[in-house]
Amino acid sequence: MVCFNEDQATKDRHDREAILAALAGALKQGDKSLIGNKGFKRYVQSSGEHFTIDTAKVKAEARYDGLWVLATNTDFPAREVALKYKQLWMVEDAFRSMKSLLSTRPIWHKCDETIIGHVFCSFLALLLRKRLQDRLAEKGWSLEWAEVIRDVAELVETEISTQGKGYVIRSEARGVAAKVAQAVGVALPPTLRACAGPAVEN
């Protein structure tokens, strides 16, 4: 079955337009400027002593923007097959995250209990990540996970004491940090508030 992704089609078109714009500039500098650039090769054709943009190839490739093919031996409707494939991709992405981002492997523990605890915490982190992504999707926000990790990690509080009084200063909510807090229903504390406990001397 042939599937179509509108967002991917837009990306494919923009990527091709960027390559063609760069290729047009490279052709003005001479044929030698094309050497070693694999991205240009599929869009050029020889016209005698020089190269030109292969417009027929560009039009032919544009026909496949956003299209992808799935083969299945099930009797599921096309929509359900596409959704199952997307879920499979998400599972594979989760396992990649476990091995890299969450550092599940290698495990150097010697006791079964600590190994189980390590894996449990990794799966719990994945569960929380999935739930956060669901909450963001419910808000209509599609955020890069690297940006989420970076901006939330930069959100910190510092306790200070001045003139005998303690205060807590919250860092600025940069990037997508505020959206993440809103998605999970957490109100960010004020930027500056009095500290009830002992504070660190400034």
Side-chain angles (χ1 to χ4, degrees):
M1 58 190 66
V2 179
C3 305
F4 175 74
N5 185 312
E6 186 174 349
D7 292 337
Q8 184 63 43
T10 300
K11 181 181 183 302
D12 291 342
R13 185 178 71 255
H14 288 169
D15 290 346
R16 184 175 54 257
E17 290 173 351
I19 293 175
L20 290 173
L23 174 57
L27 288 173
K28 293 179 181 179
Q29 299 175 10
D31 296 342
K32 291 183 179 180
S33 62
L34 306 180
I35 297 176
N37 194 317
K38 296 181 179 179
F40 291 163
K41 288 184 178 179
R42 66 178 185 271
Y43 295 126
V44 296
Q45 63 181 354
S46 176
S47 57
E49 298 180 355
H50 301 286
F51 291 102
T52 59
I53 295 178
D54 189 343
T55 55
K57 180 64 178 297
V58 173
K59 292 180 180 179
E61 186 174 287
R63 297 174 56 194
Y64 300 99
D65 287 353
L67 295 177
W68 44 288
V69 179
L70 288 177
T72 179
N73 57 359
T74 70
D75 296 327
F76 295 151
R79 176 181 174 82
E80 188 170 352
V81 171
L83 291 175
K84 294 296 182 183
Y85 178 80
K86 183 177 181 181
Q87 291 172 356
L88 175 61
W89 176 85
M90 294 173 65
V91 170
E92 293 174 347
D93 181 64
F95 276 105
R96 283 193 296 268
S97 297
M98 285 182 57
K99 295 177 181 179
S100 56
L101 180 64
L102 300 179
S103 301
T104 301
R105 294 178 61 186
I107 297 177
W108 304 108
H109 306 302
K110 296 181 179 179
C111 301
D112 291 344
E113 292 80 2
T114 51
I115 294 175
I116 292 173
H118 187 128
V119 175
F120 172 78
C121 289
S122 297
F123 273 102
L124 179 60
L126 282 175
L127 177 63
L128 293 174
R129 171 182 174 175
K130 179 62 171 62
R131 186 60 186 132
L132 174 57
Q133 290 176 321
D134 290 343
R135 291 280 188 94
L136 292 170
E138 291 171 3
K139 293 286 187 179
W141 297 328
S142 178
L143 309 181
E144 290 292 336
W145 184 247
E147 293 181 355
V148 172
I149 294 295
R150 180 198 63 205
D151 295 340
V152 171
E154 291 180 354
L155 193 60
V156 297
E157 288 188 337
T158 304
E159 293 186 7
I160 64 171
S161 179
T162 179
Q163 298 180 351
K165 296 182 179 179
Y167 300 92
V168 176
I169 300 177
R170 174 179 60 78
S171 64
E172 180 182 356
R174 300 179 181 274
V176 301
K179 286 187 175 181
V180 172
Q182 184 178 346
V184 298
V186 174
L188 293 177
T191 305
L192 177 66
R193 67 182 189 275
C195 180
V200 178
E201 288 293 334
N202 188 10

